[in-house]
Short mmCIF file of all heavy atoms in Angstrom, two decimals:
data_model
loop_
_atom_site.label_atom_id
_atom_site.label_comp_id
_atom_site.label_asym_id
_atom_site.label_seq_id
_atom_site.Cartn_x
_atom_site.Cartn_y
_atom_site.Cartn_z
N GLN A 741 34.65 -125.98 94.17
CA GLN A 741 35.78 -125.71 95.22
C GLN A 741 36.79 -126.87 95.22
O GLN A 741 37.95 -126.63 95.37
CB GLN A 741 35.18 -125.66 96.54
CG GLN A 741 34.35 -124.35 96.72
CD GLN A 741 33.63 -124.26 98.03
OE1 GLN A 741 33.12 -125.24 98.48
NE2 GLN A 741 33.58 -123.08 98.67
N LEU A 744 39.02 -126.22 92.17
CA LEU A 744 39.93 -125.20 92.53
C LEU A 744 41.12 -125.67 93.34
O LEU A 744 42.26 -125.34 93.15
CB LEU A 744 39.30 -123.98 93.11
CG LEU A 744 40.11 -122.85 93.60
CD1 LEU A 744 40.95 -122.20 92.34
CD2 LEU A 744 39.35 -121.65 94.27
N ALA A 745 40.77 -126.44 94.38
CA ALA A 745 41.75 -127.09 95.27
C ALA A 745 42.83 -127.92 94.50
O ALA A 745 44.07 -127.96 94.63
CB ALA A 745 41.20 -127.79 96.46
N LEU A 747 43.39 -127.59 91.27
CA LEU A 747 44.30 -126.73 90.40
C LEU A 747 45.25 -126.11 91.25
O LEU A 747 46.49 -125.89 90.71
CB LEU A 747 43.36 -125.65 89.68
CG LEU A 747 43.97 -124.61 88.95
CD1 LEU A 747 44.49 -125.21 87.61
CD2 LEU A 747 43.00 -123.35 88.59
N ALA A 748 45.08 -125.71 92.44
CA ALA A 748 46.09 -125.02 93.33
C ALA A 748 47.20 -125.97 93.73
O ALA A 748 48.33 -125.45 93.83
CB ALA A 748 45.30 -124.40 94.58
N ARG A 749 46.93 -127.26 93.79
CA ARG A 749 47.98 -128.27 94.12
C ARG A 749 48.75 -128.52 92.80
O ARG A 749 50.01 -128.65 92.93
CB ARG A 749 47.36 -129.54 94.60
CG ARG A 749 46.80 -129.41 95.99
CD ARG A 749 46.46 -130.88 96.49
NE ARG A 749 45.66 -131.63 95.53
CZ ARG A 749 44.38 -131.70 95.60
NH1 ARG A 749 43.64 -131.01 96.45
NH2 ARG A 749 43.67 -132.54 94.76
N GLN A 764 54.54 -116.78 95.45
CA GLN A 764 53.65 -117.92 96.00
C GLN A 764 52.52 -117.31 96.91
O GLN A 764 51.41 -117.85 96.91
CB GLN A 764 54.45 -118.83 96.85
CG GLN A 764 53.86 -120.10 97.40
CD GLN A 764 54.75 -121.19 97.92
OE1 GLN A 764 55.81 -120.95 97.93
NE2 GLN A 764 54.13 -122.18 98.46
N ASP A 765 52.75 -116.28 97.51
CA ASP A 765 51.80 -115.62 98.35
C ASP A 765 50.52 -115.01 97.72
O ASP A 765 49.43 -115.22 97.99
CB ASP A 765 52.41 -114.48 99.19
CG ASP A 765 53.40 -115.02 100.37
OD1 ASP A 765 53.20 -116.15 100.65
OD2 ASP A 765 54.23 -114.36 100.90
N SER A 766 50.90 -114.44 96.46
CA SER A 766 49.86 -113.83 95.64
C SER A 766 49.00 -114.84 95.01
O SER A 766 47.76 -114.71 94.83
CB SER A 766 50.47 -112.75 94.61
OG SER A 766 51.38 -113.42 93.67
N PHE A 767 49.67 -115.96 94.54
CA PHE A 767 48.98 -117.06 94.03
C PHE A 767 47.99 -117.64 95.07
O PHE A 767 46.81 -117.89 94.82
CB PHE A 767 50.01 -118.09 93.50
CG PHE A 767 49.30 -119.37 92.98
CD1 PHE A 767 48.81 -119.34 91.65
CD2 PHE A 767 49.13 -120.61 93.62
CE1 PHE A 767 48.19 -120.48 91.05
CE2 PHE A 767 48.63 -121.70 93.26
CZ PHE A 767 48.13 -121.64 91.93
N GLN A 768 48.56 -117.90 96.18
CA GLN A 768 47.75 -118.56 97.26
C GLN A 768 46.50 -117.63 97.74
O GLN A 768 45.44 -118.04 98.07
CB GLN A 768 48.50 -118.99 98.40
CG GLN A 768 47.84 -119.90 99.47
CD GLN A 768 47.21 -121.11 98.85
OE1 GLN A 768 48.07 -121.84 98.09
NE2 GLN A 768 45.97 -121.41 99.03
N LEU A 769 46.90 -116.34 97.73
CA LEU A 769 45.78 -115.34 98.06
C LEU A 769 44.65 -115.39 97.07
O LEU A 769 43.46 -115.29 97.55
CB LEU A 769 46.43 -113.89 98.18
CG LEU A 769 45.37 -112.78 98.46
CD1 LEU A 769 44.77 -113.09 99.78
CD2 LEU A 769 46.11 -111.44 98.42
N ALA A 770 44.95 -115.38 95.74
CA ALA A 770 43.99 -115.50 94.84
C ALA A 770 43.24 -116.69 94.84
O ALA A 770 41.84 -116.73 94.65
CB ALA A 770 44.58 -115.47 93.31
N VAL A 771 43.79 -117.83 95.23
CA VAL A 771 43.15 -119.18 95.31
C VAL A 771 42.10 -118.99 96.58
O VAL A 771 40.96 -119.36 96.51
CB VAL A 771 44.00 -120.25 95.56
CG1 VAL A 771 43.29 -121.54 96.01
CG2 VAL A 771 44.80 -120.60 94.20
N ASP A 772 42.55 -118.54 97.62
CA ASP A 772 41.80 -118.46 98.93
C ASP A 772 40.62 -117.46 98.72
O ASP A 772 39.49 -117.77 99.16
CB ASP A 772 42.67 -117.91 100.02
CG ASP A 772 43.75 -118.94 100.42
OD1 ASP A 772 43.65 -120.08 100.08
OD2 ASP A 772 44.63 -118.48 101.08
N GLN A 773 40.84 -116.50 97.90
CA GLN A 773 39.78 -115.44 97.75
C GLN A 773 38.65 -116.08 96.91
O GLN A 773 37.34 -116.00 97.13
CB GLN A 773 40.14 -114.19 97.04
CG GLN A 773 40.98 -113.26 97.96
CD GLN A 773 41.54 -112.12 97.31
OE1 GLN A 773 41.81 -112.06 96.03
NE2 GLN A 773 41.90 -110.98 97.99
N LEU A 774 39.00 -116.81 95.87
CA LEU A 774 38.05 -117.47 94.91
C LEU A 774 37.37 -118.56 95.64
O LEU A 774 36.11 -118.86 95.53
CB LEU A 774 38.71 -118.11 93.70
CG LEU A 774 37.69 -118.74 92.75
CD1 LEU A 774 36.71 -117.88 92.28
CD2 LEU A 774 38.51 -119.21 91.54
N GLN A 775 38.08 -119.39 96.57
CA GLN A 775 37.31 -120.44 97.35
C GLN A 775 36.23 -119.79 98.19
O GLN A 775 35.09 -120.40 98.34
CB GLN A 775 38.37 -121.11 98.30
CG GLN A 775 39.24 -122.14 97.61
CD GLN A 775 38.59 -123.48 97.31
OE1 GLN A 775 37.26 -123.54 97.32
NE2 GLN A 775 39.32 -124.48 96.95
N ALA A 776 36.37 -118.53 98.71
CA ALA A 776 35.53 -118.01 99.66
C ALA A 776 34.27 -117.45 98.75
O ALA A 776 33.26 -117.46 99.23
CB ALA A 776 36.05 -116.80 100.46
N GLU A 777 34.55 -117.04 97.53
CA GLU A 777 33.65 -116.40 96.66
C GLU A 777 32.73 -117.37 95.89
O GLU A 777 31.59 -117.08 95.47
CB GLU A 777 34.19 -115.41 95.65
CG GLU A 777 34.86 -114.23 96.36
CD GLU A 777 35.74 -113.56 95.40
OE1 GLU A 777 35.87 -114.00 94.17
OE2 GLU A 777 36.45 -112.43 95.79
N ILE A 778 33.29 -118.66 95.70
CA ILE A 778 32.46 -119.57 94.76
C ILE A 778 31.06 -119.80 95.17
O ILE A 778 30.19 -119.79 94.38
CB ILE A 778 33.30 -120.86 94.86
CG1 ILE A 778 34.40 -120.81 93.85
CG2 ILE A 778 32.29 -122.06 94.43
CD1 ILE A 778 35.30 -122.08 93.71
N PRO A 779 30.64 -119.88 96.42
CA PRO A 779 29.20 -120.05 96.79
C PRO A 779 28.24 -118.99 96.25
O PRO A 779 27.00 -119.14 96.11
CB PRO A 779 29.25 -120.16 98.28
CG PRO A 779 30.57 -120.53 98.72
CD PRO A 779 31.46 -119.95 97.69
N LEU A 781 28.90 -117.36 93.29
CA LEU A 781 29.07 -117.17 91.85
C LEU A 781 28.23 -118.17 91.05
O LEU A 781 28.13 -119.30 91.47
CB LEU A 781 30.52 -117.31 91.56
CG LEU A 781 31.51 -116.30 92.32
CD1 LEU A 781 32.96 -116.52 91.88
CD2 LEU A 781 31.13 -114.85 91.96
N GLU A 789 36.88 -116.66 86.67
CA GLU A 789 37.85 -116.52 87.71
C GLU A 789 39.00 -117.61 87.81
O GLU A 789 40.08 -117.37 88.19
CB GLU A 789 37.21 -116.57 89.21
CG GLU A 789 36.32 -115.31 89.35
CD GLU A 789 37.02 -114.00 88.92
OE1 GLU A 789 38.07 -113.79 89.44
OE2 GLU A 789 36.52 -113.13 88.04
N LEU A 790 38.61 -118.82 87.31
CA LEU A 790 39.62 -119.88 87.04
C LEU A 790 40.64 -119.43 86.09
O LEU A 790 41.86 -119.52 86.22
CB LEU A 790 39.06 -121.19 86.84
CG LEU A 790 38.17 -121.91 87.94
CD1 LEU A 790 37.48 -123.24 87.33
CD2 LEU A 790 39.15 -122.48 88.91
N ILE A 793 43.14 -117.17 87.57
CA ILE A 793 44.19 -117.71 88.42
C ILE A 793 45.24 -118.37 87.46
O ILE A 793 46.52 -118.36 87.66
CB ILE A 793 43.55 -118.70 89.50
CG1 ILE A 793 42.87 -118.00 90.47
CG2 ILE A 793 44.65 -119.63 89.83
CD1 ILE A 793 42.20 -118.83 91.38
N LEU A 796 47.85 -116.09 86.04
CA LEU A 796 48.67 -115.22 86.80
C LEU A 796 50.15 -115.13 86.44
O LEU A 796 50.74 -114.11 86.49
CB LEU A 796 48.50 -115.72 88.28
CG LEU A 796 47.32 -115.31 89.16
CD1 LEU A 796 47.24 -116.07 90.46
CD2 LEU A 796 47.28 -113.78 89.34
#
Side-chain angles (χ1 to χ4, degrees):
Q741 289 175 322
L744 176 57
L747 179 68
R749 290 193 306 271
Q764 187 169 357
D765 288 344
S766 60
F767 177 79
Q768 191 58 51
L769 178 61
V771 170
D772 293 342
Q773 287 178 339
L774 181 53
Q775 281 285 14
E777 294 170 358
I778 281 177
L781 302 178
E789 294 310 311
L790 287 174
I793 287 177
L796 281 172

